[in-house]
Amino acid sequence: MIVSVEKPNATQAKSAEQAQPDANKLVSNDQFTVPQNNAFGNKFRDYEVGARTDKVEQHYKASHINQTYDFVKKIREEYKKLNKAEMGIWECCELLNEVVDDSDPDLDEPQIQHLLQSAEAIRKDYPNEDWLHLTALIHDLGKILVLPKFGELPQWAVVGDTFPVGCAFDEFNVHYKYFRENPDFKNPKYNTNNGVYSEGCGLDNLLMSWGHDDYMYMVAKENGTTLPQAGLFIIRYHSFYPLHKHGAYAQFMNEEDKKNMKWLHVFNKYDLYSKSKAHVDVEKVKPYYESLIAKYFPAKLKW
C-alpha cells in the first residue's frame, strides 16, 4: 500500500533549522536529583546483580552473536520501506503498553510509563525546550518492532545497548565476551580498530547494530519531522552507551557529533535515572504532548 505523507513546507523546515538549539547557551532550572538505586533497590545499569540479571545477560549474548555487518545491512533495507503501518505518534505511544524491555536491568514496567517519566522530568527542568520534551516522549517508540504487526523481531534485534558493526567490537560493550562468537569477530575486513570506516567520518556514516534507535530515527526523518538535528541525534544514539558513557569509538566523531553529544548527555540523565514505579497520569499530560506532536510531526506517519 502506498501512503501519502504530509511533508513540512519550506517555512517550517527553515524555522526548524533556525531553532537549532545551542547546548552552550542552555538555560535550565535543573533540580533533578539522581537516585542511588533503581526500582529494584540495585545500582543503575548493574549487570551483575538483581532478579533480571540472567534474562539481561542472555539478551546480550544473543545480540552480540547475531548482530553482524551483513545482518544489519539486510534488515535496514527491509525496514527502510516503512510499509508496516500508517499511524500518528500518540497512537504509537499507546502500543508501548504491550512492551517490556528484556535488556533493561532497571525497570520492568510498560514502556509508555518510562517515556512519560523521562519527558516529564525534562519538562520540569528545561521548560523552554519543548523539542527536548517531545524527543524524550518518542525516543523509544521503535520498540514496537517486537509486536507482530511490525515484524515481531526478537528483543536482541530491538533493545539494548547499540554499537557499530563493520569494525572491532570495543571491550566497553556490556558482556563483551559474547562477541567472540560473532562471525565478524575474526573477519579481517571488520575486526580492525576502524574496520570499513575512517577516523572522523561522522557517526552518521557508521552502520549501527539494528534496533529501536535506528528504526525510530528512520521513521522520524523519512516522515519529515521538524525536530532539530540534536533531537534526531538523541533518538539515534541514546543507546550507544559505549560511546557516550565510556568514550569508545570516539575516533569516528566529527565536529557536529561533538556538538550534539552535549545534548545527548543532558538527555541521558533523565532517560536512565527517571525510571520509577511511580506512574505518570497519562490523560493529564496527553493534551500537552499532542500539541508538541502536531508542531513537529505530520498527523500520520509511515512505519
Side-chain angles (χ1 to χ4, degrees):
M1 178 178 67
I2 298 175
V3 181
S4 61
V5 178
E6 177 188 343
K7 296 286 186 179
N9 59 40
T11 302
Q12 289 175 310
K14 184 176 180 181
S15 175
E17 184 178 350
Q18 290 173 338
Q20 180 72 6
D22 184 350
N24 294 319
K25 299 179 180 178
L26 188 60
V27 176
S28 86
N29 54 351
D30 187 344
Q31 300 176 8
F32 185 80
T33 301
V34 174
Q36 295 299 309
N37 297 310
N38 64 20
F40 303 108
N42 303 316
K43 293 181 179 179
F44 284 87
R45 286 182 59 82
D46 189 334
Y47 294 90
E48 303 301 326
V49 299
R52 289 169 58 79
T53 303
D54 289 343
K55 178 180 283 190
V56 171
E57 181 167 352
Q58 290 306 307
H59 166 90
Y60 278 104
K61 179 179 181 180
S63 170
H64 293 351
I65 293 172
N66 292 291
Q67 292 269 9
T68 65
Y69 187 83
D70 289 343
F71 166 78
V72 174
K73 285 194 71 174
K74 182 177 179 181
I75 201 165
R76 281 193 102 258
E77 286 302 312
E78 170 60 29
Y79 279 92
K80 192 191 297 185
K81 300 172 185 175
L82 298 179
N83 60 0
K84 306 297 182 186
E86 180 190 5
M87 61 181 172
I89 292 288
W90 191 264
E91 186 179 352
C92 185
C93 290
E94 293 178 334
L95 289 178
L96 288 191
N97 277 320
E98 306 172 39
V99 177
V100 173
D101 186 340
D102 283 348
S103 74
D104 192 342
D106 300 321
L107 194 67
D108 61 356
E109 295 289 315
Q111 287 297 295
I112 190 170
Q113 279 299 320
H114 165 52
L115 299 184
L116 288 170
Q117 288 166 357
S118 302
E120 284 295 282
I122 290 176
R123 180 184 175 189
K124 179 180 178 182
D125 286 352
Y126 299 88
N128 297 325
E129 307 293 341
D130 67 353
W131 67 271
L132 192 56
H133 311 164
L134 182 58
T135 298
L137 180 74
I138 70 172
H139 76 280
D140 275 347
L141 291 189
K143 292 179 180 180
I144 58 172
L145 289 174
V146 304
L147 300 177
K149 187 174 182 178
F150 300 91
E152 202 168 10
L153 295 182
Q155 290 224 1
W156 62 258
V158 179
V159 297
D161 291 5
T162 57
F163 48 88
V165 293
C167 61
F169 303 114
D170 194 278
E171 292 188 10
F172 275 117
N173 283 291
V174 172
H175 293 301
Y176 167 82
K177 60 186 178 183
Y178 293 118
F179 282 118
R180 294 187 175 92
E181 300 178 54
N182 185 302
D184 292 351
F185 188 82
K186 295 182 179 180
N187 188 328
K189 184 178 180 180
Y190 303 134
N191 66 3
T192 61
N193 191 45
N194 291 341
V196 298
Y197 311 112
S198 59
E199 291 192 12
C201 64
L203 299 185
D204 192 50
N205 287 303
L206 302 184
L207 196 62
M208 298 295 295
S209 56
W210 178 251
H212 70 280
D213 311 61
D214 212 18
Y215 176 60
M216 188 58 212
Y217 164 80
M218 187 185 297
V219 169
K221 185 177 180 181
E222 294 303 315
N223 282 280
T225 183
T226 54
L227 280 174
Q229 186 60 39
L232 291 172
F233 186 91
I234 289 169
I235 292 168
R236 195 174 197 183
Y237 301 113
H238 69 271
S239 300
F240 193 3
Y241 276 90
L243 172 62
H244 60 72
K245 183 177 182 181
H246 301 291
Y249 306 104
Q251 75 269 22
F252 298 126
M253 296 176 70
N254 59 25
E255 290 306 311
E256 190 67 20
D257 294 328
K258 293 173 184 176
K259 292 177 183 177
N260 287 326
M261 185 59 70
K262 296 176 183 179
W263 282 107
L264 181 51
H265 283 144
V266 169
F267 167 82
N268 180 250
K269 178 173 69 171
Y270 298 90
D271 182 27
L272 181 57
Y273 297 113
S274 67
K275 297 172 183 176
S276 163
K277 292 288 187 179
H279 284 196
V280 175
D281 185 335
V282 177
E283 293 306 313
K284 182 177 179 180
V285 301
K286 181 178 178 180
Y288 173 70
Y289 290 103
E290 286 187 318
S291 72
L292 297 189
I293 292 167
K295 178 178 179 180
Y296 290 103
F297 281 93
K300 296 288 185 181
L301 291 78
K302 294 188 297 181
W303 299 78

